[in-house]
């Protein structure tokens, strides 16, 4: 009996000591995470959300509309646990996405040969035919406030990354053509500048999928940069 009482008292004493022992102070990084205020708006995210809308529509305007419908669906889903459903932009009205040999995987030697052995008129035709998508890409990578505005859930919708990645390839084709037709030095300067912009976007990305897309973009840029440097016997500007 006494053994049981003593054992119980010892156990209670240990529990009390553990419960009353003060926690270690939070590290500065942990405190910053707790104090972080999620942005209420992001021009880059809204533009990306509407990136592939019809060429007659404004990506920013359509992105705002889409976010509003997503927010209403989120609220209903979190309050009632009903099906997560929202009115998406009609697929048959989205901007045309380029396809073909020029949009192969850059990890393949055949793909690299295709890109760098193509004639200037062929490259020019692709770029001209997809000028709206290309201009949207140039505008998006200059926006520096990227932050996901949707609520993290298993049903969270994402921007259409495929159109964004195809537009990335269009821009790289434009750099290749510029190096061939005009000035490889200028093409290199533009590539380096855009790598910095993409790295900034990657640092701002708050979702794993967004980071992976940015990493793939930077990798493609670096590969094209290396080939242009080698082909024209140039070095990176200091």
């Amino acid at each position: 009996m006494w053994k049981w009482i003593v054992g119980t008292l010892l156990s209670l004493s240990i529990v009390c000591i553990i419960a009353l022992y003060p926690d270690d102070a939070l590290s500065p990084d942990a405190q910053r995470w707790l104090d972080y205020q999620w942005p209420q708006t992001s021009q880059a995210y809204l533009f990306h959300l509407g990136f592939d809308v019809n060429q007659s529509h404004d990506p920013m305007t359509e992105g705002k509309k889409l976010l509003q419908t997503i927010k209403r669906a989120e609220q209903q889903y979190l309050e009632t646990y009903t099906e997560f459903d929202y009115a998406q932009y009609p697929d048959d009205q989205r901007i045309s996405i380029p396809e073909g040999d020029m949009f192969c995987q850059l990890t393949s030697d055949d793909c690299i040969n295709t890109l760098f052995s193509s004639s200037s008129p062929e490259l020019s035709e692709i770029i001209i035919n997809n000028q709206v998508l290309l201009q949207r890409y140039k505008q998006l990578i200059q926006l520096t406030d990227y932050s996901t505005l949707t609520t993290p859930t298993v049903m969270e919708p994402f921007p259409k990354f495929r159109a964004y990645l195809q537009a990335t390839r269009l821009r790289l084709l434009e750099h290749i053509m510029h190096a061939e037709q005009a000035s490889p030095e200028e093409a290199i300067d533009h590539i380096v500048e855009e790598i910095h912009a993409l790295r900034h976007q990657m640092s701002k990305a708050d979702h794993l999928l967004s980071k992976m897309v940015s990493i793939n973009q930077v990798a493609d840029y670096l590969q094209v940069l290396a080939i242009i440097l080698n082909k024209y016997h140039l070095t990176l500007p200091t």
Side-chain angles (χ1 to χ4, degrees):
M1 181 67 179
W2 282 107
K3 290 183 178 179
W4 181 85
I5 294 175
V6 171
T8 302
L9 290 174
L10 285 174
S11 299
L12 289 173
S13 299
I14 293 172
V15 170
C16 290
I17 291 171
I18 294 173
L20 295 174
Y21 189 81
D23 292 332
D24 293 335
L26 289 174
S27 69
D29 285 340
Q31 190 62 54
R32 279 196 297 270
W33 294 337
L34 290 174
D35 294 340
Y36 181 74
Q37 298 294 320
W38 290 97
Q40 298 301 306
T41 187
S42 165
Q43 298 296 300
Y45 181 79
L46 293 173
F47 194 96
H48 194 186
L49 205 56
F51 186 80
D52 65 342
V53 299
N54 191 276
Q55 61 185 14
S56 63
H57 293 164
D58 176 58
M60 191 76 72
T61 301
E62 297 300 323
K64 289 178 181 178
K65 292 179 183 177
L66 187 56
L67 181 63
Q68 289 173 355
T69 63
I70 291 172
K71 287 296 186 182
R72 286 194 294 269
E74 285 177 349
Q75 185 176 2
Q76 183 177 2
Y77 173 74
L78 293 173
E79 289 178 354
T80 65
Y81 295 101
T82 54
E83 182 180 0
F84 184 91
D85 189 28
Y86 65 98
Q88 299 190 43
Y89 189 86
D91 286 337
D92 60 354
Q93 294 184 29
R94 296 184 187 276
I95 195 170
S96 177
I97 307 299
E99 301 282 358
D101 294 342
M102 296 295 180
F103 299 89
C104 50
Q105 291 291 328
L106 260 182
T107 51
S108 162
D109 289 339
D110 291 338
C111 180
I112 294 171
N113 292 333
T114 298
L115 266 56
F116 280 87
S117 63
S118 299
S119 64
S120 294
E122 186 178 4
L123 293 176
S124 180
E125 181 181 3
I126 294 173
I127 292 168
I128 292 172
N129 289 342
N130 297 279
Q131 195 61 217
V132 174
L133 196 64
L134 180 58
Q135 293 305 318
R136 286 180 181 178
Y137 174 78
K138 292 178 182 179
Q139 185 175 347
L140 178 55
I141 64 173
Q142 295 306 316
L143 298 175
T144 59
D145 66 338
Y146 198 99
S147 180
T148 303
L149 299 178
T150 51
T151 304
T153 67
V154 294
M155 307 298 293
E156 180 183 4
F158 297 103
K160 303 295 184 181
F161 285 107
R162 181 170 170 271
Y164 185 43
L165 289 173
Q166 297 298 76
T168 305
R169 179 58 55 85
L170 285 172
R171 183 56 172 154
L172 289 175
L173 293 175
E174 193 173 45
H175 288 316
I176 293 171
M177 188 175 71
H178 188 78
E180 181 70 29
Q181 289 185 338
S183 167
E185 290 86 358
E186 287 182 3
I188 289 169
D189 288 342
H190 293 320
I191 290 173
V192 170
E193 180 182 340
E194 288 173 15
I195 287 175
H196 287 311
L198 290 171
R199 290 184 63 186
H200 176 78
Q201 282 197 351
M202 182 166 58
S203 70
K204 297 284 288 184
D206 50 13
H207 196 285
L208 180 59
L209 184 57
S210 299
K211 281 194 180 293
M212 292 301 296
V213 169
S214 296
I215 289 171
N216 287 334
Q217 285 178 290
V218 171
D220 285 354
Y221 264 81
L222 289 173
Q223 192 157 5
V224 169
L225 174 63
I227 294 170
I228 292 177
L229 288 171
N230 183 64
K231 181 177 181 180
Y232 298 99
H233 308 289
L234 298 171
T235 57
L236 280 175
T238 56

